[in-house]
Amino acid sequence: MLRLLQFTDTHLMADPAGSLRGVRTLPSLEACLAHARRRHFPADLIVVTGDLVQDDAEAYGTLELLFDRLGAPVLLIPGNHDVPAELERSLSHEPFQIGGTHLVGNWAIVMLATWFADAEDGEGQLGHEELQRLATALEAHRERHVLVCLHHQPVPMEATALDALGLRDADPFMAVISRHPQVRAVAWGHAHQSLDVYRGATRYLCTPSTCMQFKPRDPHFVVDGRPPGYRVIDLHDDGGIATEVVWLEGYQQ
Ligand SMILES: [Fe+2]
């Protein structure tokens, strides 16, 4: 069994007191990491699925310090609030890996970038190159079980405002996934809430932010009172997945 921990939408800022819709993002991330260390370590793999910073490249240094010492590879992808060139400059060294495919046990973890330069307002797009990279990776790893990670939701969150900022090319993405039954799960962030649904035999997982959450299935962006959270994903040899969202119940900043 491999233990993977997913943290997402950390929205760090250079100012350590910086907050997003009322939640200070640095202490809430620190609390999530401390909680995970106590309850769910050791981990074989850490994934951080975008919006690592809040449009503030200076904060990649903070992220580096926090994730450098966890004793596991850290797979990263940019979200709409990231600055990919600066992300590459700051975190292109071990234990970090930006994008790409990571092989561990009989699993392949495929990390896809949905950040694109012409985004108007936070929506995502894989584009031809990432879709092709996904298809190539799935062809190359037919014998493995696969977890795909990205930032934007490929399935509707049933929330109008959020879904307007989803994945523009979700249809071709889902078409590729449907041709490759070895994809056991797809995990993302962006929506700052939890979701766990199936499409066919593939499980689709949205993970809450390490800072503030949005109210599920609300047509507008409404801040939810739920605390910071992260996800534990145990990947079994036979392709089985055991996963839970861990909420920091009672968290107070
Ligand atoms: Fe986002």
Side-chain angles (χ1 to χ4, degrees):
M1 191 267 282
L2 299 161
R3 168 149 295 178
L4 181 150
L5 298 178
Q6 182 192 8
F7 301 92
T8 194
D9 298 79
T10 52
H11 290 275
L12 291 179
M13 304 169 207
D15 176 1
S19 67
L20 186 72
R21 301 195 190 220
V23 177
R24 293 210 305 274
T25 59
L26 176 58
S28 67
L29 172 57
E30 287 174 326
C32 285
L33 291 172
H35 192 277
R37 274 178 181 278
R38 279 198 309 276
R39 304 269 188 97
H40 302 292
F41 266 51
D44 297 287
L45 199 57
I46 311 284
V47 298
V48 193
T49 43
D51 285 358
L52 314 177
V53 301
Q54 179 69 13
D55 309 301
D56 187 346
E58 260 189 69
Y60 288 125
T62 311
L63 197 97
E64 180 181 12
L65 285 174
L66 291 173
F67 283 88
D68 202 17
R69 4 166 150 126
L70 300 180
V74 181
L75 311 184
L76 308 167
I77 34 173
N80 47 294
H81 284 290
D82 281 297
V83 189
E86 297 295 330
L87 171 60
E88 293 269 351
R89 212 187 319 272
S90 306
L91 293 167
S92 289
H93 59 85
E94 284 190 357
F96 301 100
Q97 179 185 323
I98 302 166
T101 296
H102 183 87
L103 304 180
V104 56
N106 56 353
W107 283 80
I109 316 298
V110 181
M111 306 293 289
L112 298 174
T114 54
W115 183 97
F116 71 113
D118 301 327
E120 284 168 16
D121 193 21
E123 73 277 25
Q125 180 175 285
L126 287 159
H128 178 73
E129 216 172 289
E130 281 296 82
L131 282 168
Q132 194 53 53
R133 200 169 66 74
L134 170 64
T136 304
L138 295 178
E139 288 299 324
H141 300 298
R142 282 188 169 279
E143 306 307 317
R144 290 174 180 270
H145 308 298
V146 177
L147 169 70
V148 175
C149 297
L150 70 175
H151 177 68
H152 290 80
Q153 67 268 26
V155 299
M157 300 297 303
E158 296 176 24
T160 315
L162 257 172
D163 285 331
L165 302 182
L167 185 64
R168 294 213 311 198
D169 43 6
D171 288 348
F173 171 79
M174 298 296 276
V176 174
I177 299 294
S178 69
R179 289 198 295 274
H180 294 89
Q182 82 268 36
V183 179
R184 308 305 305 232
V186 178
W188 65 92
H190 185 57
H192 293 235
Q193 60 192 268
S194 171
L195 184 78
D196 186 342
V197 295
Y198 281 89
R199 293 286 187 278
T202 304
R203 198 163 177 182
Y204 287 81
L205 304 164
C206 181
T207 297
S209 162
T210 58
C211 54
M212 52 74 53
Q213 319 302 346
F214 287 120
K215 212 168 180 182
R217 289 174 298 282
D218 195 291
H220 309 288
F221 286 105
V222 176
V223 174
D224 199 358
R226 297 297 294 145
Y230 60 97
R231 183 180 285 281
V232 181
I233 306 177
D234 288 340
L235 304 172
H236 291 269
D237 277 353
D238 64 357
I241 290 175
T243 181
E244 66 165 329
V245 166
V246 180
W247 300 96
L248 271 63
E249 300 294 352
Y251 174 77
Q252 299 207 316
Q253 60 181 8

